[in-house]
C-alpha cells in the first residue's frame, strides 16, 4: 500500500464511525442529488464516515453503477459497505437497461426516478401521474424541471437551480407529503406498468432517516 493511500485510510479511521450501517450512495448528477443527500446527512445528524456520497465517473447510468462497483471493491474490511445505492434518472439514457442488469448482477440497489430526480421534488408540492415526455427541444428531464420551477418559486419564494443549497432543509416541512405522494405514485406505476412519472428516492430517504434505529 502506498504512503498516500495509507494516510488517506488513517485519516478516515480517525473520523467518528457510528454503530449503524455503512452505506455508499453514488449519484448520476454532480449537483442536485449530491446536494440533497449531503444536506439530509447533515440535518439528520448522520456520520459522514458511515454514509459515503459521490457522483459517478460519467453522467450515464452505466457509469454510475460501474463507479459504485469500483468504490465497493476499494474498501477494506474496516470500511466495507453494508449497502450500495445508485441514484439514476431514466430520462432518455440509451444504456438504461444495461445499468439495470449490471446493478442486479452486483447486488446494487437502484434508486430510479422517471424521468428525473426532480420528480421527487415535485412530490413535495403535489401528486401527479401525468406522463412527463419530450416536447420539441426539451427532454423529459428538462420538462420535469420546467414543471417544478413555478411550484418551487410559489412555495419557497426563490428560483429553482440544480445546484441550490440546502434543499433537504428547505423541503423538510413537506417531507411527509412527499413520502406519501412518492409511495402512491410508485404503487400506481407498478400496478399500471407505466413508470413515468415515478421515483424510488423515498425508499432511500426512509432508510437514511431511520438508519440510527437499525443495528448492524
Amino acid at each position: 500500500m502506498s504512503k498516500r493511500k495509507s494516510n488517506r485510510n488513517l485519516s478516515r479511521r480517525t473520523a467518528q464511525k457510528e454503530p449503524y450501517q455503512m452505506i455508499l450512495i453514488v449519484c448520476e448528477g454532480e449537483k442536485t442529488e449530491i446536494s440533497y443527500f449531503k444536506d439530509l446527512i447533515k440535518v439528520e445528524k448522520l456520520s459522514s464516515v458511515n454514509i459515503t456520497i459521490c457522483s459517478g465517473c460519467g453522467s450515464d447510468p452505466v457509469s454510475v453503477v460501474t463507479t459504485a462497483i469500483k468504490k465497493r471493491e476499494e474498501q477494506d474490511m474496516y470500511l466495507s459497505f453494508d449497502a450500495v445505492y445508485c441514484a439514476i434518472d431514466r430520462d432518455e439514457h440509451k444504456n438504461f437497461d444495461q445499468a439495470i442488469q449490471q446493478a442486479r448482477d452486483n447486488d446494487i440497489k437502484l434508486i430510479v426516478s422517471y424521468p428525473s430526480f426532480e420528480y421527487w421534488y415535485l412530490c413535495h408540492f403535489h401528486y401527479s401521474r401525468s406522463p412527463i415526455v419530450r416536447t420539441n427541444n426539451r427532454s423529459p428531464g428538462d420538462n420535469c424541471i420546467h414543471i417544478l420551477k413555478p411550484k418551487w418559486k410559489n412555495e419557497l419564494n426563490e428560483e429553482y437551480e440544480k445546484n441550490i443549497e440546502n434543499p433537504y432543509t428547505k423541503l423538510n416541512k413537506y417531507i411527509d407529503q412527499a413520502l406519501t405522494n412518492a409511495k402512491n405514485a410508485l404503487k400506481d406505476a407498478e400496478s399500471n406498468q407505466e413508470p413515468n412519472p415515478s421515483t424510488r428516492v423515498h425508499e432511500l430517504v426512509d432508510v437514511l432517516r431511520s438508519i440510527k434505529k437499525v443495528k448492524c
Side-chain angles (χ1 to χ4, degrees):
M1 181 183 297
S2 69
K3 183 177 180 181
R4 182 178 179 182
K5 184 173 182 181
S6 177
N7 288 341
R8 182 171 68 249
N9 288 343
L10 179 61
S11 176
R12 292 195 68 180
R13 288 189 177 95
T14 59
Q16 183 63 46
K17 179 183 181 296
E18 298 293 341
Y20 47 79
Q21 283 188 315
M22 299 281 290
I23 291 178
L24 170 65
I25 303 171
V26 183
C27 301
E28 181 178 312
E30 296 181 358
K31 298 177 181 178
T32 307
E33 298 94 325
I34 296 288
S35 179
Y36 180 81
F37 287 119
K38 284 189 174 182
D39 191 34
L40 186 158
I41 298 309
K42 180 179 69 175
V43 172
E44 300 296 336
K45 296 180 171 58
L46 298 174
S47 169
S48 60
V49 174
N50 289 67
I51 317 295
T52 298
I53 304 170
C54 65
S55 60
C57 297
S59 59
D60 62 283
V62 167
S63 295
V64 175
V65 176
T66 300
T67 300
I69 295 169
K70 182 178 179 181
K71 291 284 185 183
R72 182 170 59 189
E73 291 174 347
E74 290 174 349
Q75 300 308 297
D76 57 28
M77 291 300 294
Y78 181 84
L79 292 171
S80 61
F81 295 113
D82 297 294
V84 179
Y85 295 87
C86 286
I88 64 173
D89 296 342
R90 175 61 185 97
D91 206 8
E92 295 180 328
H93 291 301
K94 298 185 184 304
N95 62 7
F96 180 78
D97 291 338
Q98 181 183 345
I100 295 288
Q101 188 59 53
Q102 187 179 16
R104 288 173 180 166
D105 292 343
N106 289 276
D107 194 26
I108 290 171
K109 300 175 183 180
L110 286 183
I111 302 299
V112 185
S113 295
Y114 295 80
S116 66
F117 188 85
E118 278 80 8
Y119 179 71
W120 165 243
Y121 285 170
L122 278 170
C123 287
H124 290 71
F125 307 130
H126 79 144
Y127 178 84
S128 174
R129 281 276 291 139
S130 298
I132 303 174
V133 298
R134 168 175 283 277
T135 57
N136 299 322
N137 64 338
R138 283 205 301 253
S139 71
D142 292 336
N143 272 325
C144 193
I145 295 174
H146 182 70
I147 296 168
L148 172 65
K149 281 187 173 182
K151 298 183 181 300
W152 188 283
K153 174 70 172 178
N154 183 61
E155 296 291 339
L156 300 176
N157 196 33
E158 67 175 9
E159 300 297 333
Y160 173 74
E161 301 292 344
K162 293 185 74 67
N163 62 345
I164 202 156
E165 294 183 358
N166 306 320
Y168 182 79
T169 300
K170 292 172 180 177
L171 292 169
N172 203 22
K173 62 182 177 181
Y174 306 98
I175 191 65
D176 290 336
Q177 178 173 305
L179 292 169
T180 297
N181 286 341
K183 289 173 184 176
N184 288 339
L186 183 60
K187 182 178 179 180
D188 187 66
E190 293 175 339
S191 175
N192 292 294
Q193 297 185 332
E194 174 48 70
N196 182 10
S198 65
T199 185
R200 290 187 178 274
V201 174
H202 63 280
E203 295 178 345
L204 181 51
V205 170
D206 274 341
V207 167
L208 295 174
R209 294 176 81 217
S210 63
I211 194 171
K212 290 183 179 180
K213 303 175 184 177
V214 179
K215 295 182 180 179
C216 296

